[in-house]
Amino acid sequence: HDQRMQWWRNARFGMFIHWGDYAVPGGVYKGQQVGRGGEWIMNRAKIPVATYQQYARQFNPTKYDADAWVKTAKDAGMKYIVITAKHHDGFAMFKSNASKWNIVDATPYGKDILKPLAAACKKYGLKLGFYYSQAQDWNNPGGAAARKIATEGWPNPDSARIDAYTMEHSGHWDPAQTTASMSEYIDKVAVPQVKELLTNYGEVAVLWWDTPTNMTDEYAEKLQAVLALQPNIITNDRLKRPNFPGDYKTPEQKIPSPAELDGRDWETCMTMNGTWGYKSYDHKWKSTETLIRNLVDIASKNGNYLLNVGPDATGAFPEGSLTALKGIGQWMKVN
Ligand code: JFZ
C-alpha cells in the first residue's frame, strides 16, 4: 500500500475532469435552467432515456485537444488527472463493446477521447485516473438511480406523475431503465467496461468510484477483482460502504479540520464554480486566491486537492477555469 501510494502522497494537486454528453444541454432543458450539477441534468429534469440519447447526436467536440489539456494541467502544477470515463448518465467516453451508449458509437465525433488523453499524460509525465460510476447508470438498463425527486432544482411540469413513478421504481423515471436487473448490469456493463478501461489505456493510476447506490458486497467484489489488471492502481473509498475503504478518503467540496483527520490518506475534490459538469450560465468562479489558499491549506494537512474542470461540448475548457489555472501556475513559479 505505501509503495503504491507514494506518487499520490507527493502529488498534492490534481485535475478532475467532468466531461460527458451532459455538456451538450449545458444545464438547460426545455428552455429552463436546471438546478445543481450540470452532470445530473437527466435525473433532475427526469429526461426520458430516448430524449437524452438525442444529445449524443450533437456531441462533436472537434476542439478537443488532449495535449493542450494536459499541458494546461501541468503548467498549473498538477501531477495527475482523473477524468469521468463514465458518469451517472452511463455515457462511456471511450469505445466500449459492452454498450453502444459510448462516444464512438453514439456521436458524430466517433472517437475515443481517453486514448489521446492517456498518450498526452504519458508525454508530460502526469498520472491518469478514471472516474467510473459503477452503480448509478441511468441509460444502461439495470443501473441504479439515486432517488431524487423531480422538483428538486427544477420546476418540472410532470413532477407529480414522475415522482410517484420514481418512488415506486427505486429512483427510475423511465420504464426503459428497469428492463434489466442490477446484477445483469454489473455483469454485462460495469465489469466489462472496467476491464476495458484497465486494459486499453496503458497504466491507469487511479480508479475513482462514485455514489454506491444499491451496491452489494458481491457487486463490489466483482469490480474489485478487475483491479488486478493494474497491479499498482489505487482507489478511493466510494466503491461500496461499508467494507470497501479503498486507499484514501474523499471529503467533498470541503477541507477537513485538523480534528477530522484520522491518519488516513485523503483527497478533497472541488469545483471552481458551482457545477462539476459544464453549465453554460454558471459564471460564479471562485477567485484564484481562494483556490491557492485551499491548495496551501490542504497540502499543509497532508491531503490532495483534486480541482475540477467541466469542458464544454466543443471540447474547450471554460474561460474561467483557464484563467484560474494560469493564475495558479504563476503562483507556483514564484513559490
Ligand atoms: C458525486 C456525483 O454525484 C457528482 O455528480 C460528482 O461527480 C461528484 C464528484 O461526486 O456527488 C457526490 C458524492 C459524494 C458526496 C457528495 C456528492 N459526499 O460524500 O458528500
Side-chain angles (χ1 to χ4, degrees), residues 125-312:
L126 271 74
K127 297 278 189 188
L128 177 63
F130 295 139
Y131 169 114
Y132 187 83
S133 178
Q134 77 279 15
Q136 286 205 75
D137 188 316
W138 308 322
N139 276 277
N140 289 300
R147 209 178 288 218
K148 301 266 157 90
I149 61 168
T151 45
E152 206 179 314
W154 196 63
N156 190 327
D158 298 329
S159 62
R161 186 172 55 76
I162 290 166
D163 290 348
Y165 183 91
T166 300
M167 291 312 283
E168 274 165 32
H169 295 84
S170 31
H172 296 106
W173 56 94
D174 183 326
Q177 295 167 322
T178 58
T179 54
S181 67
M182 182 144 172
S183 154
E184 286 171 313
Y185 156 79
I186 293 285
D187 289 344
K188 290 182 186 159
V189 180
V191 166
Q193 286 194 334
V194 174
K195 277 187 188 156
E196 290 173 333
L197 288 171
L198 301 189
T199 306
N200 299 337
Y201 303 93
E203 194 201 329
V204 179
V206 177
L207 206 314
W208 215 98
W209 308 112
D210 205 5
T211 66
T213 311
N214 300 341
M215 284 295 286
T216 64
D217 281 347
E218 189 200 338
Y219 301 158
E221 272 153 23
K222 284 184 178 180
L223 288 163
Q224 178 98 2
V226 184
L227 299 177
L229 290 167
Q230 295 272 340
N232 294 319
I233 200 165
I234 59 174
T235 70
N236 70 352
D237 60 348
R238 296 185 185 187
L239 176 57
K240 181 196 174 276
R241 286 173 179 145
N243 301 342
F244 292 82
D247 295 294
Y248 60 91
K249 302 196 292 184
T250 52
E252 180 158 320
Q253 298 278 30
K254 72 174 187 98
I255 302 172
S257 69
E260 287 171 297
L261 300 175
D262 58 4
R264 287 198 63 200
D265 290 291
W266 60 279
E267 170 189 76
T268 286
C269 54
M270 235 186 245
T271 52
M272 290 195 205
N273 55 355
T275 180
W276 300 98
Y278 178 72
K279 272 186 152 180
S280 55
Y281 51 92
D282 186 336
H283 304 297
K284 265 187 120 178
W285 300 99
K286 291 168 192 167
S287 73
T288 303
E289 190 191 317
T290 298
L291 301 176
I292 292 169
R293 281 183 191 282
N294 288 339
L295 176 58
V296 172
D297 190 7
I298 289 168
S300 76
K301 293 173 179 161
N302 280 321
N304 278 4
Y305 194 25
L306 189 64
L307 188 56
N308 185 69
V309 177
D312 68 21

